[in-house]
């Protein structure tokens, strides 16, 4: 890679985000490992530094405007201007509509949509100045609708519209915006869903795999690979796309 880049990966203390952070570091980027609890980010930072990379643990609630501004300023100062951003932080608060509380709705909207908005707005200043940027937003196959996820599916569909608008607005500065819509990926999030529906994780994964054309569930590395492509220097003519990484086609 010609110019060293600084990447911000939100929600990267574990799960998909952690794997994306490690992958972008191995691609040569300095990586800000951002999550709610700064100490929880240290393991991923250590993985990256032990492998010869550069990383910084940053505690930040992505839905908190002041915290996001402070985090981005700190990252710019300590690692360099953030010109790569992966909006990955996410939560689920699943329930059927009639049982879903307003707090369940607001919490999910705030982390996914408000968080991606605040982070993207803060980082785009650095991208526009550098005349280079790569934004990747985590959507989901749930954007197509999923029982028990009125809040989450609305947020994940919203991420797709948000992505396409960023692609229109920021393209002239060589800033691309793309979305990855994962299917079933083995993380704490899907383990929590298995628990909610009263199934063991292995049984739950097997049931999901039986519906997936490639006959397996996904792993964080599957998403990290797609993120690596979208964040690469060579992907500058790919923008406003939604890539379903789900082991098969989606409408
Ligand atoms: P995960 O294992 O639950 O990890 C999510 C991470 O986000 C956690 O480290 C969490 O921190 C962090 N986070 C939550 N709220 C935050 C906030 N306000 N500010 C900063 N960080 C916050 O989830 P995952 O499965 O890796 O999912 C990552 C992304 O992919 C999410 O956007 C998710 O919706 C999406 N996705 C996942 C799947 C899947 O099958 N796993 C499928 C489609 C899409 P704490 O640990 O402190 O809570």
């Amino acid at each position: 890679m010609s110019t060293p880049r600084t990447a911000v990966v939100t929600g990267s203390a574990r799960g998909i985000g952690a794997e994306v952070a490690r992958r972008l570091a191995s691609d040569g980027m300095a990586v800000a490992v951002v999550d709610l609890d700064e100490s929880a980010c240290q393991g991923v930072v250590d993985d990256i530094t032990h492998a010869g990379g550069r990383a910084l643990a940053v505690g930040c609630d992505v839905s908190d405007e002041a915290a996001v501004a402070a985090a981005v300023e700190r990252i710019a100062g300590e690692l360099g201007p953030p010109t790569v951003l992966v909006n990955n932080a996410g939560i689920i608060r699943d329930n059927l509509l009639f049982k879903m509380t307003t707090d369940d709705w607001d919490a999910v909207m705030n982390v996914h949509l408000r968080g991606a908005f605040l982070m993207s707005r803060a980082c785009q200043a650095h991208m526009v100045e550098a005349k280079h940027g790569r934004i990747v937003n985590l959507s989901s196959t749930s954007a197509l609708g999923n029982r028990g996820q009125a809040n989450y599916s609305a947020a994940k569909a919203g991420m797709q519209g948000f992505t396409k608008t960023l692609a229109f607005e920021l393209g002239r500065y060589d800033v691309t915006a793309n979305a990855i819509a994962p299917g079933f990926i083995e993380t704490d999030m899907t383990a929590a869903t298995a628990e909610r529906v009263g199934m063991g994780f292995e049984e739950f994964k097997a049931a999901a795999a039986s519906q997936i054309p490639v006959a397996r569930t996904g792993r964080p590395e599957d998403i990290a690979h797609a993120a690596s492509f979208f964040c690469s220097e060579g992907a500058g003519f790919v923008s406003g796309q939604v890539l379903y990484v789900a082991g098969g086609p989606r409408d």
Side-chain angles (χ1 to χ4, degrees):
M1 199 169 65
S2 44
T3 319
R5 305 290 187 191
T6 294
V8 177
V9 185
T10 69
S12 54
R14 60 192 169 92
I16 292 170
E19 202 53 42
V20 170
R22 285 188 284 260
R23 175 63 189 260
L24 295 184
S26 78
D27 289 346
M29 298 178 199
V31 179
V33 179
V34 176
D35 212 299
L36 282 172
D37 174 7
E38 187 161 314
S39 62
C41 301
Q42 199 54 47
V44 177
V45 168
D46 290 345
D47 291 343
I48 291 171
T49 49
H50 290 155
R54 281 180 74 212
L56 178 69
V58 180
C60 172
D61 176 349
V62 296
S63 66
D64 178 333
E65 185 170 10
V68 167
V72 171
E73 196 181 328
R74 185 178 156 211
I75 292 162
E78 295 190 35
L79 283 184
T83 54
V84 175
L85 170 64
V86 181
N87 285 308
N88 166 84
I91 59 169
I92 45 172
R93 295 284 184 274
D94 295 354
N95 230 326
L96 294 174
L97 182 63
F98 78 102
K99 287 193 279 189
M100 187 173 285
T101 67
T102 310
D103 282 349
D104 290 336
W105 178 270
D106 289 343
V108 167
M109 292 300 153
N110 282 341
V111 177
H112 297 268
L113 284 176
R114 182 181 160 91
F117 159 66
L118 292 174
M119 267 292 170
S120 301
R121 192 181 59 180
C123 291
Q124 62 82 35
H126 296 284
M127 298 181 189
V128 168
E129 197 182 335
K131 294 223 163 17
H132 174 88
R134 300 282 183 262
I135 299 172
V136 175
N137 295 316
L138 267 291
S139 178
S140 167
T141 50
S142 295
L144 302 167
N146 199 23
R147 187 178 166 80
Q149 292 195 317
N151 49 3
Y152 186 80
S153 62
K156 291 309 201 185
M159 292 294 264
Q160 298 189 9
F162 178 64
T163 300
K164 291 173 190 180
T165 298
L166 297 190
F168 279 121
E169 291 189 11
L170 300 174
R172 70 179 63 190
Y173 306 105
D174 192 23
V175 176
T176 65
N178 292 285
I180 298 173
F184 188 116
I185 307 297
E186 299 163 15
T187 69
D188 293 345
M189 188 177 273
T190 37
T193 306
E195 205 175 316
R196 184 175 64 81
V197 300
M199 284 170 86
F201 196 32
E202 290 309 314
E203 185 194 358
F204 190 58
K205 281 194 300 187
S210 71
Q211 303 299 314
I212 297 172
V214 301
R216 68 167 176 89
T217 47
R219 295 182 280 269
E221 305 88 277
D222 294 312
I223 305 307
H225 197 67
S228 170
F229 167 71
F230 282 134
C231 294
S232 66
E233 301 282 319
F237 206 54
V238 180
S239 196
Q241 301 304 301
V242 179
L243 181 65
Y244 282 86
V245 182
R250 294 293 165 134
D251 292 333

